[in-house]
Amino acid sequence: MGLGLRRLLAAPTWTDLRSRLISAIVLGLLVLALTMLGGWPFRLLCVATGVIVFEEWSRMTRAKQAGPIFRFARRTLYLSLIAFIFGFDLAAIAIMAGGAAFISYVDRGERKADWVLGGLFYAAVASLPPGMLRGDDAAGLAALGLIIAVVWPTDIFAYFTGRSIGGPKLMPRVSPKKTISGALGGLVAGVVFGVLFAEWVAGSAGLFIVVLAALLSIFGQAGDLYESWIKRRFGVKDSGRLIPGHGGLMDRIDGLIIATAVAWLVGLLVAGFDHPARGIFPL
């Protein structure tokens, strides 16, 4: 059988491509609608994200082998997310921190639960900061919009810049295809699109937005590299099979997870715990 024929037979069929496209559009519209609504509907989305991310992490890292410690961590996550969905944000953070501290104490010296703790922290970062940053006001929606306006162009332009220019690899042992030129191209694109978004929403974009957009772009790329390192560490191709043709949820939002956490921390430093988004967009 010729090479061309083998490639043709191995290529995705139109039915496969159509199912992938439909699933991506449906999920995208659902996420967009819940993000626009904000409040408890968006928090429900964040809770689902945290649960799925924890399960995908646990499958990839085989954290379930920790037995009772893993089950305790999962219950800690669920309890924290219940507090979060009802608006008890400080309690949600306290439950998560208390559970992590207990696991560290029980596991001291044995290091059997390192990946369990990592999964608990990662799931917390994937679920709590987005909901706390979004809130139910215009500033929260604008803050999430800025993150997306930076991270998505960063990812897209990093890919095409790296393919076009090439050059030295960024971290070949972690992600063999990523290049320094791609990372820089993504950074420039993220800053440009972030500034354009801020100009559109707030009418101006000062030095603060430029620096913040650069941080979000850098940390978004770091989040992508971090998940690549985990998958390479455990010999896993995809984090899961949640999205037909697109892998797991972590594969799609790894950069957004870290970038959103950074934006939330910046908002906390500027505007405090109650309205962190107003530290980014004082609308």
Side-chain angles (χ1 to χ4, degrees), residues 131-142:
M132 295 178 186
L133 190 62
R134 172 62 182 94
D136 55 5
D137 58 7
L141 182 59

Side-chain angles (χ1 to χ4, degrees), residues 218-234:
I218 291 169
F219 277 96
Q221 294 187 65
D224 187 7
L225 287 169
Y226 180 59
E227 195 200 350
S228 295
W229 173 76
I230 293 173
K231 289 193 289 189
R232 184 166 290 271
R233 166 72 170 74
F234 289 95

Side-chain angles (χ1 to χ4, degrees), residues 3 136 189 207:
L3 178 60
D136 55 5
L207 180 61

Side-chain angles (χ1 to χ4, degrees), residues 34-92:
L34 293 175
T35 303
M36 294 289 291
L37 284 173
W40 68 264
F42 183 72
R43 289 198 171 215
L44 278 177
L45 175 64
C46 294
V47 166
T49 299
V51 171
I52 294 170
V53 164
F54 184 74
E55 294 302 321
E56 289 185 347
W57 174 289
S58 301
R59 185 190 67 84
M60 282 198 304
T61 63
R62 298 185 282 277
K64 294 182 179 180
Q65 294 178 0
I69 292 179
F70 168 77
R71 291 191 289 273
F72 176 82
R74 183 160 56 185
R75 290 165 185 164
T76 297
L77 174 65
Y78 290 171
L79 184 59
S80 175
L81 292 178
I82 289 172
F84 168 72
I85 196 66
F86 285 105
F88 300 109
D89 294 348
L90 281 174

Side-chain angles (χ1 to χ4, degrees), residues 145-157 186 190 193 213 216-217 219-221 252-260:
L146 176 66
I147 296 167
I148 294 171
V150 171
V151 173
W152 283 1
T154 293
D155 189 38
I156 294 169
F157 279 85
F193 277 86
L216 296 180
S217 178
F219 277 96
Q221 294 187 65
R252 305 275 67 83
I253 64 171
D254 46 11
L256 287 171
I257 288 174
I258 305 302
T260 303

Side-chain angles (χ1 to χ4, degrees), residues 154 157-158 161-162 170 179-191 217 221:
T154 293
F157 279 85
T161 304
L170 182 62
T179 61
I180 294 176
S181 64
L184 293 176
L187 173 61
V188 172
V191 171
S217 178
Q221 294 187 65

